[in-house]
Coordinates of all heavy atoms in Angstrom, one line a residue:
T184 N -44.4 -45.1 7.3 CA -44.8 -43.7 7.0 C -45.1 -42.9 8.4 O -45.1 -41.7 8.2 CB -46.2 -43.7 6.2 OG1 -47.0 -44.8 6.8 CG2 -46.0 -43.9 4.8
A185 N -45.2 -43.6 9.4 CA -45.4 -42.8 10.6 C -44.1 -42.0 11.0 O -44.2 -41.1 11.7 CB -45.7 -43.9 11.8
N186 N -43.0 -42.5 10.4 CA -41.8 -41.7 10.7 C -41.4 -40.7 9.6 O -40.4 -40.0 9.8 CB -40.5 -42.8 10.7 CG -40.5 -43.6 11.9 OD1 -41.2 -43.3 12.8 ND2 -39.6 -44.5 11.9
A187 N -42.3 -40.6 8.5 CA -41.9 -39.7 7.5 C -41.9 -38.3 7.8 O -42.9 -37.8 8.3 CB -43.0 -40.0 6.3
E188 N -40.8 -37.7 7.7 CA -40.6 -36.3 8.1 C -41.3 -35.4 7.0 O -41.1 -35.6 5.8 CB -39.1 -35.9 8.2 CG -38.5 -36.5 9.5 CD -37.8 -35.3 10.2 OE1 -38.0 -34.2 9.8 OE2 -37.2 -35.6 11.2
K189 N -42.1 -34.5 7.5 CA -42.7 -33.5 6.6 C -41.7 -32.4 6.2 O -40.8 -32.2 6.9 CB -43.8 -32.8 7.3 CG -45.1 -33.8 7.7 CD -46.2 -33.5 6.6 CE -47.3 -34.6 6.7 NZ -46.8 -35.9 6.7
W190 N -42.0 -31.8 5.1 CA -41.2 -30.7 4.7 C -42.1 -29.5 4.4 O -43.0 -29.8 3.7 CB -40.2 -31.0 3.5 CG -39.4 -29.8 3.1 CD1 -38.4 -29.3 3.7 CD2 -39.6 -29.1 1.9 NE1 -37.8 -28.2 3.0 CE2 -38.6 -28.1 1.9 CE3 -40.4 -29.1 0.8 CZ2 -38.4 -27.2 0.9 CZ3 -40.3 -28.2 -0.2 CH2 -39.3 -27.2 -0.2
E191 N -41.9 -28.5 5.0 CA -42.8 -27.3 4.8 C -42.2 -26.3 3.8 O -41.1 -26.0 3.8 CB -43.0 -26.5 6.2 CG -43.3 -27.4 7.4 CD -44.8 -27.8 7.5 OE1 -45.6 -27.3 6.8 OE2 -45.0 -28.8 8.3
S192 N -43.1 -25.8 3.0 CA -42.7 -24.7 2.1 C -43.9 -24.1 1.5 O -45.0 -24.5 1.5 CB -42.0 -25.4 0.9 OG -41.8 -24.5 -0.2
N193 N -43.8 -22.8 1.1 CA -44.8 -22.0 0.5 C -44.9 -22.3 -1.0 O -45.8 -21.8 -1.7 CB -44.7 -20.5 0.7 CG -44.8 -20.2 2.2 OD1 -45.5 -20.9 2.9 ND2 -44.1 -19.2 2.5
D194 N -43.9 -22.9 -1.5 CA -43.8 -23.1 -3.0 C -44.4 -24.4 -3.3 O -43.9 -25.6 -3.1 CB -42.3 -23.1 -3.3 CG -42.0 -23.2 -4.7 OD1 -42.9 -23.8 -5.5 OD2 -41.1 -22.6 -5.2
A195 N -45.6 -24.4 -3.9 CA -46.5 -25.7 -4.2 C -45.7 -26.6 -5.2 O -45.8 -27.8 -5.0 CB -47.7 -25.2 -4.8
E196 N -44.9 -26.0 -6.1 CA -44.2 -26.8 -7.1 C -43.1 -27.6 -6.3 O -43.0 -28.8 -6.7 CB -43.6 -25.9 -8.1 CG -43.3 -26.5 -9.4 CD -42.6 -25.6 -10.4 OE1 -42.7 -24.4 -10.3 OE2 -42.0 -26.1 -11.4
L197 N -42.4 -27.0 -5.4 CA -41.4 -27.7 -4.7 C -42.0 -28.8 -3.8 O -41.5 -29.9 -3.6 CB -40.6 -26.8 -3.9 CG -39.5 -25.9 -4.7 CD1 -38.6 -25.1 -3.6 CD2 -38.6 -26.8 -5.5
L198 N -43.2 -28.5 -3.2 CA -43.9 -29.4 -2.3 C -44.2 -30.7 -3.2 O -44.0 -31.8 -2.7 CB -45.1 -28.9 -1.8 CG -44.9 -28.0 -0.5 CD1 -46.3 -27.4 -0.1 CD2 -44.3 -28.8 0.6
D199 N -44.7 -30.5 -4.4 CA -44.9 -31.7 -5.3 C -43.7 -32.4 -5.6 O -43.6 -33.6 -5.6 CB -45.5 -31.2 -6.6 CG -47.0 -30.8 -6.5 OD1 -47.6 -31.2 -5.5 OD2 -47.5 -30.3 -7.5
I200 N -42.6 -31.7 -5.9 CA -41.3 -32.3 -6.2 C -40.9 -33.2 -5.0 O -40.4 -34.3 -5.1 CB -40.3 -31.3 -6.6 CG1 -40.7 -30.7 -7.9 CG2 -38.8 -31.8 -6.6 CD1 -39.8 -29.5 -8.5
Y201 N -41.1 -32.6 -3.8 CA -40.7 -33.3 -2.5 C -41.6 -34.6 -2.4 O -41.0 -35.7 -2.1 CB -40.9 -32.5 -1.3 CG -40.5 -33.1 0.0 CD1 -39.2 -33.1 0.4 CD2 -41.5 -33.9 0.8 CE1 -38.9 -33.7 1.6 CE2 -41.1 -34.5 1.9 CZ -39.7 -34.3 2.3 OH -39.4 -35.0 3.5
D202 N -42.9 -34.4 -2.6 CA -43.8 -35.7 -2.4 C -43.5 -36.8 -3.3 O -43.6 -37.9 -2.9 CB -45.3 -35.2 -2.5 CG -45.7 -34.3 -1.3 OD1 -45.0 -34.4 -0.2 OD2 -46.7 -33.7 -1.4

Side-chain angles (χ1 to χ4, degrees):
T184 36
N186 283 354
E188 281 234 10
K189 292 259 172 308
W190 179 70
E191 313 279 347
S192 167
N193 297 328
D194 187 326
E196 203 181 341
L197 285 184
L198 280 176
D199 279 353
I200 289 176
Y201 182 87
D202 286 346

